[in-house]
Amino acid sequence: MREKRTLLYLLILSTFFIAMMALLASAETPSHSGARASALYSPGTKSFLYSKNADQKLPMASTTKIVTALIAIESLDFKEVIKVPKEAVGVEGSSLYLKENDELTAEDLIYSVLLQSANDAATVLALRISGNIENFADKMTQRVREIGALDTSFQNPHGLDAKEHYTTARDLSLIAAEALKNENFKKICSTYKYTFKLGEETRTVVNHNKLLKSYDGCIGVKTGFTKKCGRCLVSAAEKNGVLLVAVTLDDPD
């Protein structure tokens, strides 16, 4: 009888322990971000799972190029050969160091924009599509407003500091989700390394997004940094049919 009681006691205790562990496992875990603004977005449910200052207007550095690349993909034939104009030579920051009259395909330029974050390549695409930077910036702003990113304004295709060049973590989440609907964009931003010919020279561009190598399921999207903007990152991962987009703006880590 004593053994049965002991067994029953142990069974009840074990059941209680298992129930408590399940309860703890299902409890909401607080999330923390050192970024000035951040958001975690689920495109499948069109809901934000986490946000911090998500509607604060902030500069976004080279995450700008998400829109530059998307418009280029939507506007150009990948095999079109584009000649580099004088206005695109010597753009500061990350660069392919293009020379006037260099010739690249639209595909090479788009890969260089999303992987190498090349400001000169972004400028070439903008000039090819719209004729000047101002018109292309207006096109970028209009494109994102179509999807509800109403607190975003562009003044250039690369993300170098400009007074009226800003977004929010919320808007940038929507922008990334829209871009990832495009299979070509999704393929390019998840590519780690790309090689192409520039004249007689072979060039290789490597993706700045370290998560592609360190996080299983990562599919992009774009890094960014200037001293004014701080470290910015739009990342996305997909597992078991679930896609999540994370945005951090001005993060010291």
Side-chain angles (χ1 to χ4, degrees):
M1 182 65 70
R2 182 178 296 176
E3 290 178 356
K4 288 183 178 180
R5 287 178 181 173
T6 302
L7 183 61
L8 180 61
Y9 173 78
L10 290 174
L11 181 60
I12 293 171
L13 188 63
S14 297
T15 303
F16 176 78
F17 178 78
I18 292 170
M20 287 300 296
M21 290 299 291
L23 182 63
L24 289 171
S26 64
E28 184 177 354
T29 302
S31 299
H32 302 282
S33 170
R36 189 172 173 187
S38 55
L40 179 64
Y41 179 61
S42 169
T45 60
K46 296 183 179 180
S47 61
F48 283 85
L49 308 179
Y50 171 81
S51 65
K52 173 185 175 183
N53 300 327
D55 296 309
Q56 183 178 356
K57 293 179 181 178
L58 294 169
M60 62 290 205
S62 286
T63 62
T64 295
K65 297 185 178 90
I66 295 171
V67 182
T68 302
L70 178 61
I71 290 176
I73 290 168
E74 294 173 339
S75 304
L76 301 173
D77 184 321
F78 272 21
K79 299 306 177 186
E80 178 185 347
V81 176
I82 300 173
K83 185 175 291 188
V84 176
K86 182 179 180 180
E87 297 88 340
V89 176
V91 182
E92 65 177 292
S94 182
S95 176
L96 282 179
Y97 302 101
L98 296 171
K99 300 180 180 66
E100 186 178 0
N101 295 324
D102 278 347
E103 293 185 339
L104 303 85
T105 65
E107 182 178 31
D108 296 339
L109 289 164
I110 294 166
Y111 269 95
S112 297
V113 164
L114 285 178
L115 276 63
Q116 184 74 15
S117 200
N119 293 338
D120 50 0
T123 303
V124 173
L125 289 171
L127 294 173
R128 164 61 186 84
I129 294 168
S130 296
N132 61 59
I133 297 301
E134 182 179 358
N135 287 346
F136 187 76
D138 289 343
K139 187 179 185 71
M140 295 170 75
T141 302
Q142 180 58 39
R143 178 67 178 88
V144 302
R145 287 185 177 171
E146 292 170 2
I147 62 166
L150 305 181
D151 291 319
T152 297
S153 172
F154 296 102
Q155 285 196 290
N156 60 60
H158 38 61
L160 292 174
D161 299 337
K163 184 178 180 180
E164 295 300 317
H165 194 92
Y166 58 80
T167 190
T168 67
R170 189 180 305 278
D171 274 8
L172 201 47
S173 300
L174 299 178
I175 290 167
E178 174 72 8
L180 289 168
K181 292 178 184 177
N182 186 296
E183 289 301 319
N184 284 321
F185 181 94
K186 186 176 181 181
K187 174 186 174 184
I188 295 170
C189 77
S190 62
T191 299
Y192 179 69
K193 185 184 294 186
Y194 177 77
T195 300
F196 62 97
K197 295 287 289 185
L198 180 57
E200 298 300 317
E201 185 182 355
T202 299
R203 293 285 190 94
T204 298
V205 290
V206 178
N207 204 315
H208 290 181
N209 188 355
K210 295 179 181 179
L211 284 174
L212 288 173
K213 285 288 190 179
S214 63
Y215 186 78
D216 182 33
C218 180
I219 55 172
V221 178
K222 188 70 188 74
T223 61
F225 174 79
T226 69
K227 288 183 179 179
K228 178 182 177 181
C229 300
R231 298 187 184 281
C232 302
L233 177 65
V234 179
S235 46
E238 193 169 29
K239 292 184 181 181
N240 301 320
V242 177
L243 172 66
L244 295 178
V245 175
V247 173
T248 50
L249 297 175
D250 191 5
D251 194 328
D253 186 353

